[in-house]
Amino acid sequence: MAAVTGDRDRAQLILIGGLALAISFVAIALVLNSAIYTHNLASRYDGGGDDATTFARDARAGAGAALDHANGAGGSYAAVEGNYSEAIGNVSEAFGRSAAVSGRLVSIDHLSESRGVRVVDDEPGGSDFRPANGSASSWYVATDATVRNFEMTVDRTSLDDLGDSFDLGSLFGLFGGSETPFTVRFEDGTDTYLVAVYADEADDEVKVQVYEGDDGSGTEVGTCSVVADTATVEYAAARVNGERCAPLEALDDLGGSLDVRYDYPDSAVGSYELVADRLVAGEDAVGPFVSAVNDRNFGYGCTDGGSVFNGTADPGPHAVPALYDTTVETTYESADATFTSEWRVAPDERTVPTAPRIESFVVNDGTSGDDQFDLSWSATDPNGDPVSVEVTFVDSDGDTETFTAPGTVTLPTALQGDGPYDVTITATAGGESRSVSERHADDGTSGPVGCPT
């Protein structure tokens, strides 16, 4: 019996040892699983943050597409704003459905917008880049404005064939000669850049050359080219047919508000568009933007010169209501965190507007007597600074009078009977100013004359 008892004791010891070892393995496994679980939680949290960042980036791109869609659909400011609101709702819903599959909640909400103007010439089949009032060797498309989404498409066979070794600097002193390539001039009041678009037919290329300066002492920045029958030039994105064009990146050195001018606009056929942070006054396209551009082109002389824009009608260049930028709020919710952010949406923008916007400016012949005018205006500042406004009348003798409050005003004796009057509104905020000038008559004329006609 003693032998049997000893065997049982050894068996129990082996069993107890095995159980202890098993418990040790389980404990080790629990520790390892706990570490893995903790790492997974951290990874999911980090991933959630990354996903939130990715969502915010994609949401801004979606909002930008909605903005371009609404501007392209056209119509009044109310119509554009309505189309954008609907489009951003559709974008938010699409993102929401996709995120719900992964157990996340996302949304994009429209908060605010800033009105602007869209300049476009998209006549079917293309047209040259001359203004609506006929032939011109050069004309300003936009003046004293921040510009975004500026792009054009040109037909290679319509461009001047200047070969492979053309130097834009050689043009100075040769204006009116045989070398007259279509050129876009950018001016910020201090610096000037020229962008010539021409052809090299020997290689079936469209070439884009950038030149810094406005005379022969300037500097050629560089030239990029693309083999194509048509070429799309994106000025802010610095691309030609979707490919990087490094010389166009030099335009980033320009300041905020620009004058944009076309030289030799009959040397190219195609289409173009841009969005500027000035306004028109409704679907008739009369308003601060058109008046400022006409003034830049004609120097108040719009009675004889007409307008460079065709109202809102096709064909030809026209200026239509648009949204310059918008602000959206993005919200991302997961099991681990919630992220909410505000984003400004302004696709293909080179610089952010800082100058005040003159949203409306109306000068009408007064009804109470000779030499009276009814003045009204609206101006805002993108930075929220208070805006001060002055309206100055200059008669044909050069006498002036300035008013700072809207309403019915009576010109002083020195100005009476000496019309028409060049009327300039200047809005100032945060140390920056913007002006719009128009020419108006006194009694005997119904409504404004000159700019606009």
Side-chain angles (χ1 to χ4, degrees), residues 55-56 59-60 63 84 88-89 91-92 95 105-112 326-333 338-345:
F55 163 68
R60 291 178 70 186
Y84 176 73
I88 203 68
V91 171
S92 180
F95 272 100
L105 297 176
V106 301
S107 64
I108 310 169
D109 296 306
H110 171 57
L111 298 182
S112 62
T326 67
T327 302
V328 299
E329 181 182 78
T330 61
T331 302
Y332 176 97
E333 295 183 49
T338 298
F339 301 89
T340 301
S341 302
E342 289 187 11
W343 306 94
R344 183 172 169 273
V345 180

Side-chain angles (χ1 to χ4, degrees), residues 113-114 118 138 163 166 201 210 230 234 258 274 329 347 430 436:
E113 72 283 328
S114 297
R118 179 173 175 256
S138 66
F166 172 72
E201 288 295 344
V210 181
T230 61
E234 301 173 77
L258 301 176
L274 63 84
E329 181 182 78
V436 174

Side-chain angles (χ1 to χ4, degrees), residues 348-370:
D348 287 329
E349 181 182 54
R350 193 184 52 81
T351 58
V352 177
T354 57
R357 288 186 177 96
I358 300 172
E359 298 186 341
S360 66
F361 177 42
V362 179
V363 180
N364 281 323
D365 184 28
T367 58
S368 301
D370 294 342

Side-chain angles (χ1 to χ4, degrees), residues 136-215:
S137 60
S138 66
W139 65 288
Y140 285 90
V141 185
T143 185
D144 193 15
T146 303
V147 173
R148 69 166 186 83
N149 198 34
F150 182 20
E151 66 177 54
M152 60 179 55
T153 298
V154 295
D155 181 353
R156 190 192 75 236
T157 59
S158 72
L159 302 173
D160 285 6
D161 181 10
L162 302 181
D164 186 48
S165 58
F166 172 72
D167 176 10
L168 187 58
S170 67
L171 266 185
F172 298 98
L174 298 177
F175 279 92
S178 59
E179 293 182 332
T180 55
F182 171 63
T183 303
V184 185
R185 176 186 294 257
F186 297 87
E187 304 166 337
D188 67 359
T190 302
D191 299 313
T192 299
Y193 281 86
L194 308 180
V195 180
V197 184
Y198 57 96
D200 178 5
E201 288 295 344
D203 294 324
D204 297 329
E205 290 181 335
V206 174
K207 291 186 173 293
V208 178
Q209 183 176 138
V210 181
Y211 186 87
E212 181 181 4
D214 58 357
D215 58 33

